[in-house]
Amino acid sequence: MNKIQHYVQGHWTTGTEEGTPIHDAITGEAFASVAIEGLDIPEILHYGRTKGGEKLRKMTFQERGNMLKKLALYLTKRKNAFYELSYRTGATKVDSWIDIEGGFGNLFANASLRKLFPNQSYHVEGEPIDLSRGGRFMAHHIMVPKKGVAVHINAFNFPVWGMLEKCAVNWMAGVPAVVLPAPSSSYLAEAVAREIINSGILPEGALQIINGTVRNILDTVESQDVVTFTGSAATGRILKAHPRIIQEAVPFTMEADSLNASILGEDAVPGTPEFDIFIKEVRKEMTVKAGQKCTAIRRIIVPENLVEDVQIALGKALDKVTIGDPRLKEVRMGSLVSKQQVEAVRNSVQDIAKEAQIVYGSLDKIETIGADATKGAFMSPIVLRADHPFENTAVHEREAFGPVSTIMPYKNLDEAITLAQMGKGSLVSSIVTNDDAIAKDYVVNAASHHGRILVLNRENAKESTGHGSPLPTLVHGGPGRAGGGEEMGGMRGVKHYLQRTAIQGTPTTLTEITGIYQQNAKYKEAEEHPFKYHWEDIQPGMSLKTHNRTITDSDIMSFANLTWDHFYAHTDITSLDGSIFEKRTAHGYFIISAAAGLFVHPNKGPVSANYGLDSIRFLRPLYHNDTIYVRLTCKEKIDRDVSTAEHPSGIVKWHVEVFDANFENRPESQKTDRDTPLVAVATILTMVQKNQETFVEMTDSKIDECLSKLSEDAKPQWGIMTPQHMIEHLEHTYKIAAGEIQDFEISTPEKILEKVKNSLWNYDKFPQNSQFPLLEKDTLEPLKHENLAIAIEAFKAQRKIYIEFFKAYPDVKLKNIVFGELNRYEWYLLERKHLNHHFEQFNLL
């Protein structure tokens, strides 16, 4: 029998004892065991804090996000092997899809959060806070990664999703993880962890996994650590009260199984789409994962006059659920994870049945397909009915963690809300209704007791992710019995692993600390116009003061006529009495447009596009004959991914301040304490290209310089080409680029051709040993020229033909066998990458 391994302190290992056997949920076969004896838990935690933590904390959010995306893609390519293991947990293919690909989806979703964080290793939260009248003392909040380790104690039902939905968040925050899967399904978590480690994508120490029950895991946690727990409420309360958790004030997030309720609206009578949707949703939540979901519907709350209808309709729906070997296509529900779990569910049903009656299913009889019901952990769906749910409260207190749910009646919506709340806190509730007034009443009054509420009706049913589906962008957790914790939730989840700290100081100091320009900070005068700098060279605080412009009466009238904005303050000076305006007033948007005219650099440069306007404020009116100048200052830089036909770029937020140039010349008698020369502020965004430092520009002189180093006996760094083969290959590609060779089919599949073509625009090198489709793999073509010198001359001559061709036909597009149809500029990009690739291959650069 194989022992399930642990990955700790940089290596795979097993426990020293024989271990506890793990059984196949379908066949009952004992096929593996888990043992944790001999593991040094304090050192494992220390290793994570130091080895993994130090590297993760230094990475920026963009680097961490791209790491998660790369890992998600890597695992997705290997998903099929995980499905085969997942069947052993009793999961069907649909169940496994939720667990496996849902887990990978968490990686993708959290990777996308990198766009919401600054391009640095820590986060700047919220808006700056002015602490003084003079504007020289202020505060801000930053959030830095905790210098601990995330300890994840997971449940058995989702070994992949449960691991990755937590780890994706702590990795995004810059915190390493020690994962403890539940033993009964740990073999699947181990398989995924093994692939993660093999990928080499995560820094060493970012993930450690202990596959077994470690009862002393909390004995040495520290204040910088974070502990998360998913499982039963009773176990969670014991862990939360651990003396070390209390002594070190360790953050503890608990997500416990809860008695989730779904309510059928009074309008959703039989014959309506909502009634059918309700029955379908309840059946799904009872049978997906054989009901082993912390978000499954445990209480079915329906109008008292519809109890019989719901009971009959649900019974008919459950009759269609086939149970058995989950590998079979005709099977719709697999087994529970173990026979021990079956016994636990049976005991819970028997307790609930003391105050309710079983109206569907049997604890003693089950029919299976392709499996022996006596050997596997199979169980029939069970529906109970509690006719007096206010008096008989076991149904609100005892959970059967399997395909079990209870129908109960309500007289009016207030009663439905009260019944839902009697579960004392749940992860999720839902209401199926087509009456938005009913939906609002339920949501507003029930929300205090539920972490998430789904309102389901005919409009969203087909697109809804369903009652039982937590999503990485939404908070997952709930009050009371559900544990009082929160997981996921987009940025909210990441912040659980960050320490929030209030920072006080001058605006100039806080600009340096936050990496975001703060109002009233000292400017860093730019040596050249800021629009001349590439994205990497622009820094927060870099600033330009423009020359002046006087706003004329005709400017205002022309803008009004151009935009059709004839607001009276701009066009009818006879109507100013009683208004805040004294004279003909410039349009606010004209002021911003005029400001742009002052600060925009006209020449082509790294600024490739206007990306938008974040905010704008007009502080006081400007009149005709007033004179303005502008201060343009870099406020913040935001990295961005580029996959389209554009060069790599980032976003720069510019702080635009429009000043009254005549303010100082105004008589003091015309000024008040609130007067300021600042008349308008805005935040504009520009798309700024990144500096291209990867490739050498291939001019005639540079090519001559490189080829002068090439000798007949030169050896390549990779591949089998000789120097002459390389030169003749380049000559051949120039013949394609000049249109002399076009009788070939494009080799790249149509569905990915655009993506491959767009890669020409990035600054990534061609992979070493990449295969040219017209060349036979691992085979050298016969040479065409007598020697290398003659080949070089032919190469140069063909390059001139290519250049002259596009001078004569600048708008033509020609086929390339890999990248499809290319225009003149795209051929230039390909030439630059291609020559750099082969010249580097022979050490010519």
Side-chain angles (χ1 to χ4, degrees):
M1 188 182 300
N2 293 329
K3 273 190 181 180
I4 294 173
Q5 291 191 308
H6 322 285
Y7 186 79
V8 294
Q9 296 174 279
H11 65 276
W12 289 97
T13 186
T14 57
T16 55
E17 301 295 325
E18 183 178 344
T20 304
I22 294 178
H23 298 267
D24 187 304
I26 303 301
T27 65
E29 170 200 2
F31 67 94
S33 66
V34 291
I36 53 92
E37 292 78 12
L39 299 182
D40 191 334
I41 301 302
E43 283 303 309
I44 291 170
L45 299 183
H46 177 72
Y47 183 84
R49 296 181 193 114
T50 53
K51 184 73 173 180
E54 288 175 3
K55 293 179 181 177
L56 279 173
R57 288 191 296 270
K58 290 177 181 178
M59 297 171 71
T60 66
F61 281 103
Q62 277 65 37
E63 288 170 336
R64 295 178 203 139
N66 285 321
M67 174 185 73
L68 294 186
K69 182 179 179 181
K70 187 176 180 181
L71 181 60
L73 291 168
Y74 178 90
L75 292 174
T76 299
K77 291 178 181 178
R78 292 156 176 81
K79 64 183 180 182
N80 289 338
F82 306 138
Y83 275 89
E84 200 55 41
L85 280 175
S86 184
Y87 289 132
R88 288 194 146 183
T89 70
T92 65
K93 188 164 187 179
V94 171
D95 299 337
S96 300
W97 181 87
I98 296 169
D99 184 28
I100 295 168
E101 298 189 51
F104 302 164
N106 268 276
L107 292 174
F108 280 118
N110 279 276
S112 297
L113 295 179
R114 68 192 183 279
K115 302 169 187 176
L116 305 179
F117 287 97
N119 189 40
Q120 50 196 21
S121 60
Y122 53 93
H123 179 50
V124 181
E125 185 185 47
E127 296 299 317
I129 302 162
D130 188 4
L131 300 176
S132 67
R133 289 177 62 87
R136 298 299 170 188
F137 183 53
M138 63 167 295
H140 221 316
H141 289 88
I142 66 170
M143 301 188 75
V144 300
K146 291 180 177 289
K147 293 189 174 181
V149 65
V151 178
H152 299 313
I153 305 169
N154 292 340
F156 65 80
N157 51 342
F158 289 101
V160 182
W161 184 88
M163 173 170 64
L164 295 183
E165 63 99 357
K166 295 180 174 71
C167 286
V169 178
N170 62 250
W171 289 332
M172 191 63 191
V175 175
V178 175
V179 179
L180 288 83
S184 55
S185 57
S186 59
Y187 50 92
L188 181 52
E190 180 217 26
V192 175
R194 191 174 292 277
E195 284 295 349
I196 293 174
I197 299 302
N198 290 345
S199 75
I201 293 170
L202 298 181
E204 171 53 39
L207 172 64
Q208 297 181 90
I209 183 168
I210 304 174
N211 292 296
T213 302
V214 184
R215 301 194 183 281
N216 64 338
I217 188 68
L218 300 183
D219 291 354
T220 54
V221 292
E222 298 177 357
S223 60
Q224 287 288 306
D225 298 331
V226 177
V227 176
T228 71
F229 168 77
T230 300
S232 74
T235 303
R237 285 192 289 269
I238 293 170
L239 295 177
K240 195 172 184 178
H242 192 286
R244 187 73 175 182
I245 295 289
I246 298 169
Q247 177 185 338
E248 291 282 313
V250 178
F252 186 97
T253 296
M254 177 175 162
E255 186 255 287
D257 307 326
S258 57
L259 291 159
N260 312 295
S262 186
I263 287 78
L264 181 66
E266 292 177 274
D267 61 307
V269 298
T272 64
E274 282 67 35
F275 184 87
D276 296 337
I277 290 166
F278 182 78
I279 297 300
K280 183 179 179 180
E281 194 71 12
V282 173
R283 182 199 66 190
K284 182 178 71 173
E285 290 304 317
M286 286 184 65
T287 58
V288 167
K289 271 293 200 176
Q292 298 170 115
K293 292 170 60 182
C294 54
T295 53
I297 295 171
R298 304 299 179 198
R299 296 177 297 151
I300 308 167
I301 302 175
V302 303
E304 61 180 3
N305 62 317
L306 298 180
V307 168
E308 290 291 338
D309 296 296
V310 169
Q311 180 180 319
I312 293 168
L314 182 57
K316 290 179 178 179
L318 290 171
D319 283 342
K320 298 176 184 179
V321 176
T322 50
I323 305 169
D325 186 339
R327 295 174 179 83
L328 301 177
K329 290 182 179 180
E330 60 268 33
V331 168
R332 294 292 174 266
M333 190 177 96
S335 70
L336 274 64
V337 74
S338 66
K339 287 206 167 188
Q340 291 88 343
Q341 187 62 25
V342 171
E343 190 60 28
V345 175
R346 286 172 59 89
N347 291 338
S348 295
V349 171
Q350 288 167 352
D351 283 346
I352 298 170
K354 292 175 183 177
E355 297 179 355
Q357 59 178 314
I358 296 176
V359 294
Y360 182 89
S362 170
L363 292 177
D364 304 314
K365 182 182 177 183
I366 182 169
E367 295 181 4
T368 56
I369 300 174
D372 187 337
T374 62
K375 293 181 179 179
F378 294 100
M379 183 175 184
S380 165
I382 300 289
V383 178
L384 297 101
R385 175 171 161 174
D387 291 328
H388 305 286
F390 288 98
E391 293 82 23
N392 300 327
T393 58
V395 70
H396 305 299
E397 297 168 356
R398 185 69 184 266
E399 180 183 22
F401 198 71
V404 180
S405 196
T406 303
I407 300 171
M408 60 193 74
Y410 72 86
K411 287 186 173 64
N412 52 52
L413 193 62
D414 286 342
E415 279 199 0
I417 293 168
T418 300
L419 287 172
Q421 292 174 343
M422 287 176 71
K424 299 181 181 179
S426 79
L427 297 172
V428 57
S429 179
S430 59
I431 181 167
V432 182
T433 176
N434 200 38
D435 187 324
D436 289 337
I438 291 176
K440 178 181 178 180
D441 194 356
Y442 179 76
V443 168
V444 171
N445 290 289
S448 59
H449 284 61
H450 309 289
R452 175 169 58 89
I453 296 179
L454 167 67
V455 179
L456 202 56
N457 60 27
R458 67 192 71 179
E459 186 177 345
N460 66 5
K462 288 185 179 179
E463 298 180 9
S464 168
T465 51
H467 170 103
S469 299
L471 297 174
T473 51
L474 303 181
V475 166
H476 179 48
R481 180 191 172 105
E486 289 185 353
E487 294 177 352
M488 303 192 297
M491 288 183 71
R492 297 177 186 86
V494 177
K495 290 179 179 181
H496 290 317
Y497 297 91
L498 302 173
Q499 173 61 46
R500 181 181 289 106
T501 304
I503 307 298
Q504 297 170 278
T506 68
T508 302
T509 300
L510 265 63
T511 293
E512 293 301 314
I513 292 173
T514 62
I516 300 173
Y517 175 78
Q518 308 293 338
Q519 182 79 29
N520 297 321
K522 293 177 182 177
Y523 302 117
K524 301 174 184 177
E525 297 292 346
E527 295 182 6
E528 295 190 75
H529 194 289
F531 283 17
K532 289 185 176 182
Y533 292 95
H534 285 88
W535 188 78
E536 296 90 342
D537 301 322
I538 298 172
Q539 299 302 324
M542 179 182 283
S543 185
L544 168 76
K545 180 182 178 182
T546 71
H547 55 276
N548 293 353
R549 172 175 177 171
T550 298
I551 297 171
T552 66
D553 192 74
S554 61
D555 286 336
I556 299 172
M557 294 305 297
S558 295
F559 192 83
N561 292 329
L562 181 65
T563 62
W564 294 8
D565 179 355
H566 295 288
F567 185 63
Y568 77 92
H570 314 311
T571 56
D572 183 8
I573 58 175
T574 65
S575 300
L576 300 181
D577 290 348
S579 72
I580 63 170
F581 306 107
E582 299 172 4
K583 295 183 281 186
R584 188 183 307 283
T585 307
H587 303 68
Y589 296 111
F590 171 71
I591 296 170
I592 294 301
S593 299
L598 289 171
F599 68 69
V600 168
H601 187 65
N603 297 343
K604 185 177 181 180
V607 174
S608 56
N610 181 340
Y611 200 66
L613 186 66
D614 244 15
S615 61
I616 185 170
R617 287 288 304 277
F618 305 116
L619 304 178
R620 67 176 178 83
L622 274 178
Y623 304 118
H624 66 91
N625 295 327
D626 280 349
T627 301
I628 63 169
Y629 71 89
V630 178
R631 176 64 79 164
L632 178 75
T633 307
C634 172
K635 180 177 181 179
E636 184 180 0
K637 295 165 59 180
I638 303 172
D639 208 349
R640 67 187 288 262
D641 298 325
V642 176
S643 58
T644 55
E646 60 176 290
H647 290 303
S649 63
I651 302 303
V652 177
K653 288 188 175 183
W654 300 96
H655 183 57
V656 177
E657 299 166 288
V658 183
F659 292 94
D660 179 354
N662 297 327
F663 178 80
E664 293 181 1
N665 298 327
R666 287 170 57 191
E668 291 298 323
S669 61
Q670 296 181 16
K671 298 180 183 178
T672 69
D673 290 342
R674 299 182 65 182
D675 269 354
T676 169
L678 189 62
V679 296
V681 292
T683 301
I684 68 161
L685 289 73
T686 59
M687 192 183 299
V688 182
Q689 287 184 10
K690 295 180 179 179
N691 202 6
Q692 194 289 109
E693 296 180 330
T694 305
F695 304 112
V696 176
E697 289 298 329
M698 285 295 140
T699 61
D700 289 342
S701 59
K702 188 62 185 179
I703 290 173
D704 288 341
E705 176 191 334
C706 291
L707 293 180
S708 68
K709 305 174 187 176
L710 187 63
S711 61
E712 292 272 9
D713 58 352
K715 301 298 181 185
Q717 294 190 73
W718 65 85
I720 62 173
M721 279 186 174
T722 68
Q724 188 170 336
H725 279 98
M726 181 269 288
I727 294 296
E728 291 189 6
H729 165 64
L730 293 176
E731 178 194 0
H732 182 78
T733 56
Y734 276 124
K735 287 182 177 181
I736 296 173
E740 296 178 18
I741 301 174
Q742 287 285 288
D743 57 341
F744 55 80
E745 296 296 324
I746 296 169
S747 65
T748 303
E750 182 67 29
K751 64 180 180 180
I752 63 168
L753 181 59
E754 183 179 6
K755 181 179 179 181
V756 172
K757 180 179 176 179
N758 290 344
S759 69
L760 291 174
W761 293 76
N762 65 35
Y763 299 155
D764 299 334
K765 295 180 180 181
F766 286 156
Q768 296 180 2
N769 292 308
S770 51
Q771 180 69 28
F772 184 60
L774 293 179
L775 295 177
E776 190 175 341
K777 189 174 181 181
D778 300 327
T779 302
L780 290 174
E781 294 282 305
L783 294 171
K784 297 174 183 173
H785 298 293
E786 190 174 334
N787 55 46
L788 178 60
I790 294 174
I792 288 175
E793 291 305 314
F795 155 77
K796 290 181 179 179
Q798 190 60 48
R799 182 173 183 272
K800 287 181 180 179
I801 293 172
Y802 148 74
I803 292 170
E804 292 302 320
F805 175 82
F806 273 108
K807 284 181 180 178
Y809 306 101
D811 298 325
V812 75
K813 290 186 176 181
L814 293 174
K815 284 190 303 181
N816 175 275
I817 191 168
V818 175
F819 299 99
E821 285 196 344
L822 305 180
N823 62 30
R824 180 182 186 179
Y825 186 70
E826 289 164 337
W827 275 108
Y828 150 73
L829 295 176
L830 174 55
E831 178 198 23
R832 185 173 69 182
K833 280 197 173 191
H834 198 205
L835 292 183
N836 272 262
H837 174 77
H838 286 296
F839 285 4
E840 185 177 323
Q841 181 184 17
F842 282 89
N843 294 300
L844 305 180
L845 291 176

